[in-house]
């Protein structure tokens, strides 16, 4: 059965972010079932999901509470068109999100995934400026950034691996350096210089607050973000926070923006929003932005953007269940203790001189392989980890740990113990 599924998969499926030729030697693993932090293949081998299945799973696989709420919704309504119609789950979810966020976020626009949310925010900022009589058409982003792989989202990213091939197709985007230390004076000077020269053509500045996740888990200071927002306000350039990966508790607060004094104009959320169950994303913005589109149809100011599955009722039920768990189980406070334990355990790996740059932000921990003669050390580690029952997915030579919040201390120690044994072979 296991081998047959592997053969059928490789015959018919083109996997994401994968050089398929690698699977001539790299095992492809069909998963039969999952529970908590564990995935089980068709041979009943268990793998600890160290990456929350691409950062989406918050409260474990087959979570009984989320299961029950999606089943309840399934018996009532699975999906309807959101244009001209609505349903209780999305109304409740929207009201709850707006209540949890600062008062300037009072409107929700839904899409299906993170890249789509970024596309919505980019288009909305451009169209807002147009409706205000400003003909702006460029965006600004941080160096080392990643915001998705649709063409608009790719345009505002800065990782050549994803972007270089498609450069002729992309929007024009300027770049400003991300801080590499706690001293960010030079980066602020560079940002101010760019804004002073180009503010008349810049719609918005987009950034992942605190952690550039696909950018090798690079972490930087909230103080820089506050100063950057202050500059953008001075030059009348909007700000977009991409919290697709950093939202819903990953950085130690429910949203990373809580650690910033100043707030953006747009907030993009996805990934953990449904606990890893169903595709959903949302862009939150202010009444001020919303009102710039509010006009008679003849004025052609409406934001005509849509997705067939926008606001799917099952996904919204999952998202409401996720918020229930945050509210009832004091997750943020529990995660502070768990995060400290993870950081302490991973620091023990500093015994290996070829490892360094150990860093933690909330429930995200990472370190780097600093020196190696191995051309693809990350792939080697991935394979070795699978043999020991760990699902890791290194970013080049960056090893990161972003587990579901239900992980137990002994499971964390199991991960570190096996990494130690792997690095002894390195």
């Amino acid at each position: 059965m296991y081998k047959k599924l592997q053969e059928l998969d490789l015959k018919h499926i083109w996997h994401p972010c994968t050089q398929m030729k690698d699977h001539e030697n790299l095992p492809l693993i069909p998963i039969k079932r999952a529970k908590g932090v564990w995935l089980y293949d068709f041979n009943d081998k268990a793998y600890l999901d160290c990456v929350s299945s691409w950062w989406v799973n918050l409260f474990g696989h087959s979570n009984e509470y989320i299961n029950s709420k999606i089943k309840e919704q399934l018996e009532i309504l699975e999906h309807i068109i959101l244009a001209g119609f609505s349903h209780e789950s999305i109304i409740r979810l929207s009201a709850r999100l707006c209540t949890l966020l600062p008062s300037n976020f009072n409107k929700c626009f839904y899409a299906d995934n993170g890249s789509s949310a970024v596309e919505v925010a980019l288009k909305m900022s451009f169209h807002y400026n147009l409706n205000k009589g400003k003909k702006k058409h460029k965006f600004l982003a941080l160096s080392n950034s990643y915001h998705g792989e649709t063409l608009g989202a790719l345009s505002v990213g800065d990782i050549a691996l994803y972007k270089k091939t498609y450069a002729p197709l992309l929007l024009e985007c300027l770049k400003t350096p991300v801080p590499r230390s706690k001293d960010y004076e030079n980066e602020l000077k560079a940002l101010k210089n760019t804004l002073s020269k180009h503010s008349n053509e810049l719609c918005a500045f987009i950034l992942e607050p605190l952690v550039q996740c696909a950018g090798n888990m690079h972490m930087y200071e909230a103080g820089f973000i506050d100063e950057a927002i202050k500059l953008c306000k001075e030059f009348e350039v909007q700000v977009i926070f991409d919290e697709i990966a950093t939202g819903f508790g990953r950085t130690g607060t429910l949203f990373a923006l809580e650690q910033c004094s100043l707030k953006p104009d747009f907030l993009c959320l996805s990934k953990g929003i449904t606990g890893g169950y169903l595709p959903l994303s949302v862009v939150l913005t202010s009444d001020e932005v919303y009102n710039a589109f509010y006009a008679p149809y003849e004025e052609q100011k409406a934001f005509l953007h849509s997705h067939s599955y926008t606001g799917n009722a099952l996904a919204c039920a999952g998202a409401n269940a996720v918020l229930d768990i945050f509210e009832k189980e004091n997750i943020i406070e529990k995660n502070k203790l768990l995060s400290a334990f993870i950081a302490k355990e991973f620091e023990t790996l500093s015994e290996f001189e070829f490892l360094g740059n150990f860093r933690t932000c909330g429930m995200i921990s990472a370190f780097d392989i600093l020196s190696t003669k191995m051309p693809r050390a990350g792939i080697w580690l991935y394979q070795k980890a699978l043999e020991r029952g760990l699902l890791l997915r290194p970013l080049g030579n960056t090893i990161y740990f972003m587990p579901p919040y239900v992980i137990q201390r002994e499971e964390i120690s199991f991960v570190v113990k096996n990494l130690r044994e792997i690095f002894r072979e390195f």
Side-chain angles (χ1 to χ4, degrees):
M1 176 68 167
Y2 189 83
K3 188 169 179 57
K4 180 65 175 174
L5 286 170
Q6 287 179 316
E7 290 172 355
L8 281 171
D9 183 293
L10 292 172
K11 184 177 180 180
H12 297 295
I13 300 174
W14 194 342
H15 288 261
C17 281
T18 302
Q19 172 46 261
M20 293 301 295
K21 187 174 174 60
D22 282 346
H23 283 302
E24 290 178 7
N25 301 302
L26 191 69
L28 182 83
I29 302 172
I31 294 299
K32 182 179 181 181
R33 61 189 175 90
K35 185 67 180 175
V37 299
W38 295 96
L39 309 174
Y40 300 88
D41 69 18
F42 281 77
N43 292 326
D44 289 323
K45 181 175 179 178
Y47 304 87
L48 198 152
D49 190 351
C50 301
V51 299
S52 295
S53 290
W54 250 342
W55 321 342
V56 299
N57 191 288
L58 299 187
F59 299 119
H61 298 275
S62 299
N63 181 283
E64 291 179 8
Y65 183 75
I66 301 175
N67 285 359
S68 68
K69 290 301 178 180
I70 292 176
K71 287 176 184 176
E72 283 179 21
Q73 182 64 53
L74 185 60
E75 296 298 326
I76 301 166
L77 173 71
E78 79 299 341
H79 178 68
I80 58 164
I81 183 174
L82 201 65
F85 287 79
S86 191
H87 56 83
E88 184 180 359
S89 283
I90 198 168
I91 294 167
R92 286 186 58 236
L93 175 60
S94 303
R96 294 174 81 179
L97 288 172
C98 291
T99 300
L100 288 167
L101 287 159
S103 58
N104 61 305
F105 293 107
N106 207 32
K107 290 293 186 292
C108 300
F109 193 99
Y110 288 87
D112 302 337
N113 58 74
S115 293
S116 294
V118 169
E119 298 280 343
V120 167
L122 297 177
K123 287 177 66 178
M124 201 175 275
S125 177
F126 167 80
H127 201 163
Y128 167 84
N129 280 285
L130 195 63
N131 285 350
K132 288 289 188 177
K134 300 175 182 178
K135 293 185 177 180
K136 298 184 173 189
H137 65 285
K138 295 179 183 178
F139 293 90
L140 177 64
L142 288 172
S143 62
N144 192 53
S145 60
Y146 173 91
H147 298 287
E149 291 167 46
T150 50
L151 291 178
L154 200 58
S155 298
V156 294
D158 184 47
I159 299 178
L161 177 67
Y162 304 103
K163 185 173 183 176
K164 184 178 178 181
T165 302
Y166 307 102
L169 304 177
L170 303 181
L171 305 174
E172 191 168 353
C173 180
L174 304 180
K175 184 172 65 176
T176 192
V178 67
R180 293 289 176 178
S181 71
K182 292 185 178 181
D183 177 10
Y184 41 79
E185 185 178 346
N186 288 336
E187 287 81 4
L188 285 175
K189 285 180 181 176
L191 174 60
K192 185 173 184 178
N193 184 52
T194 298
L195 289 170
S196 64
K197 289 179 179 177
H198 300 282
S199 61
N200 64 326
E201 53 188 352
L202 285 171
C203 299
F205 176 35
I206 183 169
L207 62 140
E208 280 184 286
L210 303 181
V211 186
Q212 293 181 310
C213 292
N216 296 96
M217 296 297 166
H218 174 63
M219 300 174 186
Y220 65 106
E221 300 292 309
F224 168 80
I225 298 170
D226 285 332
E227 293 300 319
I229 295 175
K230 191 183 297 182
L231 285 171
C232 286
K233 288 183 181 296
E234 180 185 333
F235 286 96
E236 297 184 346
V237 172
Q238 292 181 311
V239 177
I240 301 167
F241 272 17
D242 171 356
E243 287 220 41
I244 289 154
T246 61
F248 298 99
R250 287 294 180 193
T251 63
T253 48
L254 189 58
F255 303 106
L257 62 76
E258 294 173 44
Q259 299 176 52
C260 304
S261 299
L262 299 180
K263 308 307 177 190
D265 300 280
F266 303 93
L267 175 66
C268 302
L269 301 173
S270 190
K271 286 198 181 289
I273 192 170
T274 68
Y277 273 68
L278 290 158
L280 184 70
S281 64
V282 60
V283 177
L284 289 106
T285 192
S286 63
D287 284 328
E288 181 198 348
V289 170
Y290 173 84
N291 289 335
F293 295 83
Y294 199 87
Y297 187 82
E298 293 76 19
E299 293 186 19
Q300 297 184 351
K301 290 186 175 182
F303 188 59
L304 300 179
H305 183 101
S306 61
H307 298 263
S308 301
Y309 283 92
T310 292
N312 175 264
L314 298 175
C316 290
N320 275 310
V322 163
L323 294 183
D324 290 344
I325 295 171
F326 272 110
E327 289 174 6
K328 294 175 182 178
E329 299 187 20
N330 200 21
I331 298 299
I332 298 300
E333 290 305 310
K334 288 180 181 177
N335 279 359
K336 288 178 182 177
L337 298 175
L338 204 55
S339 173
F341 182 79
I342 291 170
K344 186 176 179 181
E345 283 285 287
F346 272 77
E347 278 288 346
T348 65
L349 296 175
S350 62
E351 67 179 84
F352 299 100
E353 293 182 359
F354 54 84
L355 302 180
N357 193 19
F358 287 83
R359 54 203 185 273
T360 297
C361 181
M363 288 295 288
I364 304 171
S365 289
F367 60 91
D368 299 325
I369 300 172
L370 301 178
S371 59
T372 176
K373 294 179 181 178
M374 216 176 281
R376 298 181 71 189
I379 288 289
W380 178 87
L381 180 65
Y382 172 77
Q383 290 181 274
K384 289 291 183 181
L386 287 178
E387 291 170 11
R388 293 176 174 272
L390 304 180
L391 169 54
L392 290 165
R393 192 175 170 88
L395 294 159
N397 287 351
T398 295
I399 316 305
Y400 71 90
F401 186 58
M402 198 189 291
Y405 303 156
V406 296
I407 194 167
Q408 301 298 304
R409 292 190 176 204
E410 57 269 26
E411 292 167 331
I412 296 164
S413 297
F414 171 80
V415 173
V416 174
K417 172 181 175 290
N418 279 282
L419 280 172
R420 183 176 292 108
E421 291 174 4
I422 290 168
F423 286 128
R424 283 177 182 152
E425 300 176 35
F426 192 68

